[in-house]
Amino acid sequence: MNLFYSVCLVLVILSMLGLLYRVWKGPSVPDRLVALDAVGVMLISAIALLSILFDTPFFIDAILLIAIMSFIGTVSFSKFIERGEIIERGSDR
Amino acid sequence: MKTNDVILQTATKVVFFIIFLFSVHIFFVGHYAPGGGFVGGLLTTGAIVLLLLAFDLKTIQQILPFNFTIVTAIGLVLALSTAGASIFFNVPFFTHAYDDFNLPLFGKTSLHTAMFFDSGVYLVVVGSAITIIQSIGGDD
């Protein structure tokens, strides 16, 4: 069973390498942004598999934290791409 | 052109409370598991940053009418008074105390004064990070 989780971890890391190729090569900025968001998801999967392999429940909090921070980062960067400013001032409405 | 971000705003109204509850959880669990005041404060900052992203700066200053510089000052005073209160009991500076209490709702609970120091750290982290983000986001 341990071998199964190790093979899964290697597959996750290989897909992360593929996503990093897209970050490096991506012709436009949204390509790189989507690839970085998916790298966050792969990181979550890798930490979950490591948490199984190390037999500890203490990595579960880090998974949720990475998910939240990846979401906030993706939202802020896509808002910057779309409007040019991240936090609007709100006085001109 | 007026853009419409109803999906982001509706998702934020749900996700904000999940992030805030998780930050409170990670703040209280810090004595026995990974977490504590710093990570809890950063997660609360993340929740407020998500509100700032979905809405605008003036709305957030209306619904959270705190001066976050004052929040930082309150956190520093809390941490320093927790550290300084120990010298009134003839023990060295920064000595913490704990005891078991029978609380009405929680039963037998072990309360520790490191909790007050941790909440001071929490308030300092939230106040300084939100002050930085608001002052950078709000300049012309």
Side-chain angles (χ1 to χ4, degrees):
Chain A
M1 212 55 188
N2 224 340
L3 179 71
F4 176 70
Y5 293 127
S6 304
V7 170
C8 286
L9 191 59
V10 169
L11 287 179
V12 163
I13 288 171
L14 281 181
S15 60
M16 202 188 292
L17 285 180
L19 287 165
L20 284 178
Y21 173 74
R22 182 48 66 194
V23 172
W24 176 57
K25 194 75 178 177
S28 66
V29 180
D31 283 332
R32 296 186 165 119
L33 179 58
V34 172
L36 274 180
D37 195 33
V39 164
V41 177
M42 287 301 124
L43 209 58
I44 290 168
S45 326
I47 291 176
L49 287 169
L50 278 178
S51 163
I52 295 173
L53 278 176
F54 288 158
D55 199 13
T56 171
F58 287 146
F59 291 164
I60 306 295
D61 286 343
I63 291 173
L64 195 47
L65 205 146
I66 288 176
I68 289 167
M69 285 304 153
S70 163
F71 173 66
I72 292 174
T74 307
V75 166
S76 58
F77 211 98
S78 52
K79 201 170 171 187
F80 177 72
I81 289 174
E82 188 168 328
R83 301 191 196 164
E85 59 177 357
I86 297 178
I87 297 174
E88 294 159 18
R89 215 155 295 116
S91 56
D92 51 346
R93 286 199 175 179
Chain B
M1 188 186 83
K2 179 141 177 12
T3 51
N4 188 4
D5 41 350
V6 62
I7 296 177
L8 178 61
Q9 289 181 354
T10 312
T12 299
K13 283 171 194 165
V14 180
V15 169
F16 171 75
F17 291 103
I18 299 174
I19 301 177
F20 189 69
L21 273 180
F22 181 55
S23 80
V24 170
H25 162 75
I26 217 169
F27 169 69
F28 277 111
V29 88
H31 202 86
Y32 298 106
F38 188 76
V39 188
L42 280 184
L43 262 178
T44 308
T45 308
I48 299 174
V49 164
L50 186 61
L51 280 184
L52 281 170
L53 288 172
F55 302 94
D56 45 272
L57 195 62
K58 189 162 272 186
T59 313
I60 302 304
Q61 279 172 350
Q62 278 174 0
I63 66 173
L64 291 174
F66 308 123
N67 188 355
F68 282 96
T69 321
I70 308 290
V71 172
T72 311
I74 289 172
L76 279 176
V77 165
L78 197 59
L80 203 59
S81 61
T82 308
S86 60
I87 59 175
F88 293 111
F89 297 102
N90 269 334
V91 287
F93 186 66
F94 242 114
T95 305
H96 287 295
Y98 70 97
D99 205 357
D100 293 335
F101 295 99
N102 269 316
L103 296 181
L105 201 58
F106 297 102
K108 189 163 180 289
T109 312
S110 172
L111 295 180
H112 202 290
T113 53
M115 186 75 219
F116 295 113
F117 185 76
D118 226 12
S119 49
V121 173
Y122 178 88
L123 288 179
V124 168
V125 170
V126 170
S128 53
I130 294 295
T131 305
I132 290 169
I133 289 168
Q134 277 187 347
S135 52
I136 289 176
D139 61 349
D140 288 326

